Amino acid sequence: MNSQHFIDLDETYSAHNYHPLDVVVERAEGVWVYDVDGNKYLDCLSAYSAVNQGHCHPAIREAAIAQMNRVTLTSRAFRNDQMGPFLQELCDMTGYEMALPMNSGAEAVETAVKAVRKWGYEVKGIPDNQAEIIVCRGNFHGRTTTIVGFSSEPAYKRHFGPYAPGFIMVPYGDAAALEAAITPNTAAFLVEPIQGEGGVVTPPDGYLRETANICARHNVLFIADEIQTGLGRTGKLFACEHEGVRPDVMVVGKALSGGFYPVSAVLTDKEVLGLLRPGDHGSTFGGNPLGAAIGRAAIKVIQDEDLIGRSRDLGAYFKGRLERIESEHIKEVRGKGLFIGVELHVPARRFAEALRERGILVKETHKTVLRFAPPLIITKEQIDWAAEHIEAVLM
Ligand SMILES: *Cc1c(COP(=O)(O)O)cnc(C)c1O
């Protein structure tokens, strides 16, 4: 079967809520994906950083298969022997006291919103139903109705209202604007340390540290959405570490399962998640033994293979190579670790198409930005190969 057959099926039966490149993937291994026509591509998107460990990582696959042969779902009506060890290992790695496991990233963001509101009412003493959460222009936190309601992107929210109240928007990168927006009813500030979907937008140096200090001074919780930037992607375990910031609330997803399965989590100390009582929150699949076994293997790979160090070193190397490309189309190269955005003066789609012709998969984001975020297992030789093609198409 060739690609066109599958493209036709997608176009006929799937809602058209995406505009994918017409590559029909049938299998993948490590940094490589293979399409149904027998072509091979270097993946430079990593499923939006969900496959930081590389596609179908053998250690994660073995853990998944072994767990599938034992038990996959218990629901939280009962306990299982995977969730506790998973959360212990996750807390040990990240330095938080508690975790609440969910599935998709958006669910974890929703969970964080609920947890910080509860903290706002029960610890900070905000009057009932008055809690405010400050968010940033250009944010991306997921696709639920509440979350799109506080997006600044018309495409994400138009005709999906009415929107949930309680969210205040400030410009990204402007710490003074955050401080000015805080009121006695502010429960939390929700921020991405680098705005991924917003176009790999890196805030000014010191922004995270300053905003974290402002939050601490005003008794406001600092929530980092590190669903895309976390777990090694930027050359640190969390991107907030580049500025020495330890968020009060950390949201993770994507690479938490290495792409095998939706696994997300909210991490905090006892002061926040410790407020939740039976009945307050839940998810049929959240904390299930299959997801937990996969999560355990996925974070072990990050540690065992030093993916954080690889991202730091190879990211600096890749970025350096991209910076040296002398193309009239390039406006800016930015990012940290293997999370690199190349902003162009012109729409990026045709360059993504041209790279695909040369065996490299990237996707334009925000029209004019090419995001390069390969699996963190990528080698220097593979980066050299990719950089030559990137240079060639941008000439
Ligand atoms: C992908 C992403 C989400 C949403 O995750 P889903 O699993 O798609 O729901 C939220 N926040 C950020 C920063 C993301 O990159």
Side-chain angles (χ1 to χ4, degrees):
M1 291 284 193
N2 66 7
S3 298
Q4 198 54 48
H5 170 73
F6 297 101
I7 294 167
D8 291 344
L9 289 180
D10 287 359
E11 293 303 306
T12 306
Y13 293 106
S14 170
H16 295 177
N17 57 327
Y18 276 92
H19 181 35
L21 292 183
D22 283 334
V23 175
V24 181
V25 176
E26 70 172 9
R27 69 194 168 86
E29 192 185 341
V31 297
W32 301 105
V33 304
Y34 301 84
D35 75 8
V36 293
D37 298 321
N39 301 306
K40 175 181 172 182
Y41 305 89
L42 179 72
D43 184 358
C44 278
L45 180 64
S46 309
Y48 303 94
S49 298
V51 287
N52 285 357
Q53 298 87 340
H55 288 275
C56 300
H57 193 289
I60 309 174
R61 180 173 55 217
E62 289 314 309
I65 292 169
Q67 189 59 41
M68 276 191 195
N69 285 324
R70 289 197 291 264
V71 58
T72 56
L73 185 61
T74 54
S75 85
R76 298 282 305 270
F78 312 113
R79 299 181 189 267
N80 69 71
D81 69 356
Q82 292 299 312
M83 188 185 87
F86 170 45
L87 300 185
Q88 180 187 34
E89 287 153 18
L90 183 59
C91 286
D92 281 351
M93 179 169 80
T94 59
Y96 287 95
E97 290 173 359
M98 296 181 99
L100 202 168
M102 297 295 287
N103 311 286
S104 69
E107 281 176 298
V109 172
E110 291 271 355
T111 300
V113 166
K114 288 173 75 173
V116 299
R117 282 180 174 169
K118 198 164 172 51
W119 174 89
Y121 300 125
E122 296 180 8
V123 177
K124 184 166 177 172
I126 296 171
D128 205 17
N129 284 322
Q130 301 296 307
E132 292 167 355
I133 296 174
I134 300 175
V135 302
C136 293
R137 194 172 304 284
N139 73 66
F140 181 82
H141 298 290
R143 300 290 199 161
T144 64
T145 50
T146 292
I147 292 172
V148 299
F150 61 77
S151 169
S152 56
E153 173 61 47
Y156 295 165
K157 68 191 299 183
R158 208 172 86 87
H159 292 172
F160 299 128
Y163 309 120
F167 298 94
I168 312 292
M169 188 172 298
V170 296
Y172 186 60
D174 182 346
L178 167 68
E179 186 147 38
I182 291 173
T183 74
N185 292 341
T186 306
F189 172 53
L190 170 62
V191 66
E192 298 155 88
I194 295 175
Q195 289 186 332
E197 295 318 293
V200 194
V201 179
T202 49
D205 284 343
Y207 174 69
L208 298 171
R209 192 166 47 239
E210 262 181 76
T211 51
N213 287 340
I214 290 167
C215 287
R217 270 208 305 281
H218 293 273
N219 197 23
V220 166
L221 296 176
F222 184 101
I223 314 172
D225 177 350
E226 295 233 24
I227 291 170
Q228 190 160 161
T229 52
L231 303 176
R233 172 51 63 187
T234 71
K236 298 271 188 191
L237 177 60
F238 293 119
C240 284
E241 291 172 19
H242 288 287
E243 297 198 359
V245 168
R246 180 184 187 267
D248 302 298
V249 180
M250 174 61 74
V251 190
V252 288
K254 293 200 167 113
L256 189 51
S257 71
F260 276 77
Y261 194 88
V263 180
S264 64
V266 175
L267 294 154
T268 76
D269 287 341
K270 291 204 175 76
E271 191 195 0
V272 180
L273 282 178
L275 298 171
L276 293 178
R277 294 281 162 261
D280 283 350
H281 193 51
S283 161
T284 302
F285 281 82
N288 74 77
L290 178 58
I294 289 171
R296 295 178 74 180
I299 61 177
K300 190 164 184 302
V301 168
I302 293 171
Q303 293 168 313
D304 289 354
E305 300 187 14
D306 186 26
L307 296 187
I308 299 168
R310 295 188 70 88
S311 178
R312 180 190 61 228
D313 298 343
L314 292 167
Y317 178 73
F318 196 4
K319 192 172 166 214
R321 289 223 41 169
L322 294 172
E323 280 165 347
R324 282 200 300 280
I325 296 177
E326 285 176 24
S327 162
E328 57 176 19
H329 301 306
I330 297 179
K331 186 172 165 197
E332 189 187 27
V333 178
R334 57 181 179 245
K336 292 198 162 81
L338 281 167
F339 196 47
I340 306 171
V342 177
E343 177 155 13
L344 307 178
H345 293 291
V346 290
R349 177 89 183 185
R350 77 177 158 97
F351 299 101
E353 301 274 9
L355 283 169
R356 170 249 154 108
E357 293 298 315
R358 289 165 173 267
I360 296 170
L361 293 185
V362 279
K363 186 73 167 58
E364 80 281 6
T365 165
H366 263 244
K367 293 250 184 321
T368 57
V369 181
L370 287 170
R371 167 177 33 197
F372 293 97
L376 307 182
I377 59 164
I378 194 169
T379 64
K380 184 166 170 292
E381 292 68 36
Q382 289 162 343
I383 289 172
D384 285 332
W385 177 81
E388 271 161 40
H389 286 291
I390 295 163
E391 176 154 23
V393 304
L394 283 167
M395 280 307 151

mmCIF file of all heavy atoms in Angstrom, residues 162-184:
data_model
loop_
_atom_site.group_PDB
_atom_site.id
_atom_site.type_symbol
_atom_site.label_atom_id
_atom_site.label_comp_id
_atom_site.label_asym_id
_atom_site.label_seq_id
_atom_site.Cartn_x
_atom_site.Cartn_y
_atom_site.Cartn_z
ATOM 1 N N PRO A 162 -18.345 29.543 25.873
ATOM 2 C CA PRO A 162 -17.792 30.540 26.793
ATOM 3 C C PRO A 162 -16.592 29.985 27.577
ATOM 4 O O PRO A 162 -16.514 28.795 27.832
ATOM 5 C CB PRO A 162 -18.954 30.841 27.735
ATOM 6 C CG PRO A 162 -19.811 29.622 27.684
ATOM 7 C CD PRO A 162 -19.661 29.047 26.312
ATOM 8 N N TYR A 163 -15.687 30.891 27.917
ATOM 9 C CA TYR A 163 -14.437 30.502 28.557
ATOM 10 C C TYR A 163 -14.537 30.595 30.080
ATOM 11 O O TYR A 163 -15.224 31.459 30.616
ATOM 12 C CB TYR A 163 -13.310 31.413 28.062
ATOM 13 C CG TYR A 163 -13.269 31.499 26.552
ATOM 14 C CD1 TYR A 163 -13.423 32.719 25.901
ATOM 15 C CD2 TYR A 163 -13.106 30.349 25.783
ATOM 16 C CE1 TYR A 163 -13.399 32.789 24.510
ATOM 17 C CE2 TYR A 163 -13.095 30.403 24.400
ATOM 18 C CZ TYR A 163 -13.240 31.627 23.764
ATOM 19 O OH TYR A 163 -13.236 31.688 22.398
ATOM 20 N N ALA A 164 -13.791 29.720 30.749
ATOM 21 C CA ALA A 164 -13.794 29.715 32.212
ATOM 22 C C ALA A 164 -13.143 30.995 32.743
ATOM 23 O O ALA A 164 -12.095 31.411 32.241
ATOM 24 C CB ALA A 164 -13.040 28.499 32.725
ATOM 25 N N PRO A 165 -13.734 31.620 33.740
ATOM 26 C CA PRO A 165 -13.122 32.810 34.337
ATOM 27 C C PRO A 165 -11.984 32.429 35.289
ATOM 28 O O PRO A 165 -11.743 31.251 35.534
ATOM 29 C CB PRO A 165 -14.279 33.443 35.113
ATOM 30 C CG PRO A 165 -15.179 32.303 35.449
ATOM 31 C CD PRO A 165 -15.013 31.268 34.360
ATOM 32 N N GLY A 166 -11.298 33.452 35.788
ATOM 33 C CA GLY A 166 -10.281 33.206 36.814
ATOM 34 C C GLY A 166 -8.867 33.180 36.277
ATOM 35 O O GLY A 166 -7.942 32.806 36.999
ATOM 36 N N PHE A 167 -8.684 33.560 35.015
ATOM 37 C CA PHE A 167 -7.333 33.593 34.439
ATOM 38 C C PHE A 167 -7.023 35.002 33.958
ATOM 39 O O PHE A 167 -7.839 35.643 33.316
ATOM 40 C CB PHE A 167 -7.216 32.585 33.283
ATOM 41 C CG PHE A 167 -7.436 31.173 33.730
ATOM 42 C CD1 PHE A 167 -8.700 30.596 33.642
ATOM 43 C CD2 PHE A 167 -6.406 30.444 34.303
ATOM 44 C CE1 PHE A 167 -8.925 29.302 34.102
ATOM 45 C CE2 PHE A 167 -6.614 29.146 34.760
ATOM 46 C CZ PHE A 167 -7.880 28.573 34.658
ATOM 47 N N ILE A 168 -5.848 35.476 34.315
ATOM 48 C CA ILE A 168 -5.413 36.827 33.970
ATOM 49 C C ILE A 168 -4.186 36.675 33.075
ATOM 50 O O ILE A 168 -3.288 35.908 33.404
ATOM 51 C CB ILE A 168 -4.969 37.601 35.245
ATOM 52 C CG1 ILE A 168 -5.997 37.471 36.370
ATOM 53 C CG2 ILE A 168 -4.615 39.053 34.926
ATOM 54 C CD1 ILE A 168 -7.300 38.154 36.133
ATOM 55 N N MET A 169 -4.149 37.394 31.954
ATOM 56 C CA MET A 169 -3.019 37.237 31.037
ATOM 57 C C MET A 169 -2.045 38.405 31.127
ATOM 58 O O MET A 169 -2.457 39.563 31.181
ATOM 59 C CB MET A 169 -3.527 37.112 29.603
ATOM 60 C CG MET A 169 -2.414 36.754 28.647
ATOM 61 S SD MET A 169 -3.015 36.374 27.012
ATOM 62 C CE MET A 169 -4.031 34.964 27.350
ATOM 63 N N VAL A 170 -0.759 38.059 31.156
ATOM 64 C CA VAL A 170 0.291 39.089 31.138
ATOM 65 C C VAL A 170 1.253 38.764 29.986
ATOM 66 O O VAL A 170 1.324 37.624 29.545
ATOM 67 C CB VAL A 170 1.066 39.145 32.479
ATOM 68 C CG1 VAL A 170 0.161 39.556 33.623
ATOM 69 C CG2 VAL A 170 1.753 37.814 32.782
ATOM 70 N N PRO A 171 2.018 39.754 29.527
ATOM 71 C CA PRO A 171 2.999 39.465 28.477
ATOM 72 C C PRO A 171 4.064 38.494 28.989
ATOM 73 O O PRO A 171 4.463 38.562 30.151
ATOM 74 C CB PRO A 171 3.632 40.831 28.173
ATOM 75 C CG PRO A 171 2.733 41.842 28.776
ATOM 76 C CD PRO A 171 2.012 41.180 29.915
ATOM 77 N N TYR A 172 4.528 37.611 28.107
ATOM 78 C CA TYR A 172 5.590 36.662 28.451
ATOM 79 C C TYR A 172 6.931 37.394 28.449
ATOM 80 O O TYR A 172 7.201 38.209 27.565
ATOM 81 C CB TYR A 172 5.605 35.547 27.409
ATOM 82 C CG TYR A 172 6.553 34.407 27.699
ATOM 83 C CD1 TYR A 172 6.425 33.636 28.848
ATOM 84 C CD2 TYR A 172 7.549 34.060 26.788
ATOM 85 C CE1 TYR A 172 7.267 32.568 29.090
ATOM 86 C CE2 TYR A 172 8.402 32.981 27.023
ATOM 87 C CZ TYR A 172 8.259 32.237 28.174
ATOM 88 O OH TYR A 172 9.085 31.170 28.411
ATOM 89 N N GLY A 173 7.727 37.130 29.472
ATOM 90 C CA GLY A 173 9.056 37.740 29.503
ATOM 91 C C GLY A 173 9.109 39.058 30.246
ATOM 92 O O GLY A 173 10.156 39.693 30.309
ATOM 93 N N ASP A 174 8.004 39.470 30.828
ATOM 94 C CA ASP A 174 7.914 40.775 31.490
ATOM 95 C C ASP A 174 7.569 40.563 32.970
ATOM 96 O O ASP A 174 6.406 40.426 33.337
ATOM 97 C CB ASP A 174 6.836 41.608 30.779
ATOM 98 C CG ASP A 174 6.700 43.009 31.358
ATOM 99 O OD1 ASP A 174 7.223 43.269 32.458
ATOM 100 O OD2 ASP A 174 6.040 43.829 30.701
ATOM 101 N N ALA A 175 8.604 40.506 33.800
ATOM 102 C CA ALA A 175 8.386 40.204 35.219
ATOM 103 C C ALA A 175 7.598 41.308 35.920
ATOM 104 O O ALA A 175 6.775 41.035 36.803
ATOM 105 C CB ALA A 175 9.734 39.988 35.915
ATOM 106 N N ALA A 176 7.832 42.563 35.520
ATOM 107 C CA ALA A 176 7.100 43.672 36.149
ATOM 108 C C ALA A 176 5.604 43.547 35.892
ATOM 109 O O ALA A 176 4.777 43.852 36.765
ATOM 110 C CB ALA A 176 7.620 45.016 35.619
ATOM 111 N N ALA A 177 5.245 43.081 34.697
ATOM 112 C CA ALA A 177 3.818 42.912 34.367
ATOM 113 C C ALA A 177 3.188 41.848 35.260
ATOM 114 O O ALA A 177 2.030 41.975 35.686
ATOM 115 C CB ALA A 177 3.655 42.538 32.895
ATOM 116 N N LEU A 178 3.966 40.806 35.574
ATOM 117 C CA LEU A 178 3.441 39.791 36.498
ATOM 118 C C LEU A 178 3.178 40.430 37.852
ATOM 119 O O LEU A 178 2.096 40.292 38.422
ATOM 120 C CB LEU A 178 4.434 38.631 36.655
ATOM 121 C CG LEU A 178 4.095 37.690 37.831
ATOM 122 C CD1 LEU A 178 2.814 36.913 37.550
ATOM 123 C CD2 LEU A 178 5.246 36.748 38.145
ATOM 124 N N GLU A 179 4.168 41.156 38.368
ATOM 125 C CA GLU A 179 4.015 41.726 39.711
ATOM 126 C C GLU A 179 2.808 42.666 39.760
ATOM 127 O O GLU A 179 2.030 42.656 40.714
ATOM 128 C CB GLU A 179 5.285 42.460 40.145
ATOM 129 C CG GLU A 179 5.206 42.944 41.595
ATOM 130 C CD GLU A 179 6.559 42.926 42.300
ATOM 131 O OE1 GLU A 179 7.566 43.245 41.649
ATOM 132 O OE2 GLU A 179 6.584 42.581 43.509
ATOM 133 N N ALA A 180 2.624 43.448 38.692
ATOM 134 C CA ALA A 180 1.506 44.397 38.656
ATOM 135 C C ALA A 180 0.150 43.688 38.609
ATOM 136 O O ALA A 180 -0.866 44.242 39.035
ATOM 137 C CB ALA A 180 1.659 45.325 37.445
ATOM 138 N N ALA A 181 0.129 42.476 38.081
ATOM 139 C CA ALA A 181 -1.155 41.765 37.926
ATOM 140 C C ALA A 181 -1.565 40.998 39.181
ATOM 141 O O ALA A 181 -2.695 40.527 39.293
ATOM 142 C CB ALA A 181 -1.062 40.805 36.738
ATOM 143 N N ILE A 182 -0.636 40.848 40.125
ATOM 144 C CA ILE A 182 -0.941 40.068 41.334
ATOM 145 C C ILE A 182 -1.895 40.838 42.242
ATOM 146 O O ILE A 182 -1.734 42.036 42.462
ATOM 147 C CB ILE A 182 0.369 39.700 42.076
ATOM 148 C CG1 ILE A 182 1.161 38.679 41.245
ATOM 149 C CG2 ILE A 182 0.081 39.162 43.473
ATOM 150 C CD1 ILE A 182 2.549 38.358 41.793
ATOM 151 N N THR A 183 -2.903 40.136 42.724
ATOM 152 C CA THR A 183 -3.859 40.708 43.689
ATOM 153 C C THR A 183 -3.896 39.772 44.901
ATOM 154 O O THR A 183 -3.295 38.686 44.864
ATOM 155 C CB THR A 183 -5.287 40.785 43.106
ATOM 156 O OG1 THR A 183 -5.840 39.452 43.078
ATOM 157 C CG2 THR A 183 -5.305 41.375 41.693
ATOM 158 N N PRO A 184 -4.601 40.167 45.964
ATOM 159 C CA PRO A 184 -4.707 39.238 47.105
ATOM 160 C C PRO A 184 -5.360 37.904 46.716
ATOM 161 O O PRO A 184 -5.223 36.911 47.437
ATOM 162 C CB PRO A 184 -5.586 40.010 48.104
ATOM 163 C CG PRO A 184 -5.362 41.463 47.745
ATOM 164 C CD PRO A 184 -5.192 41.486 46.252
#
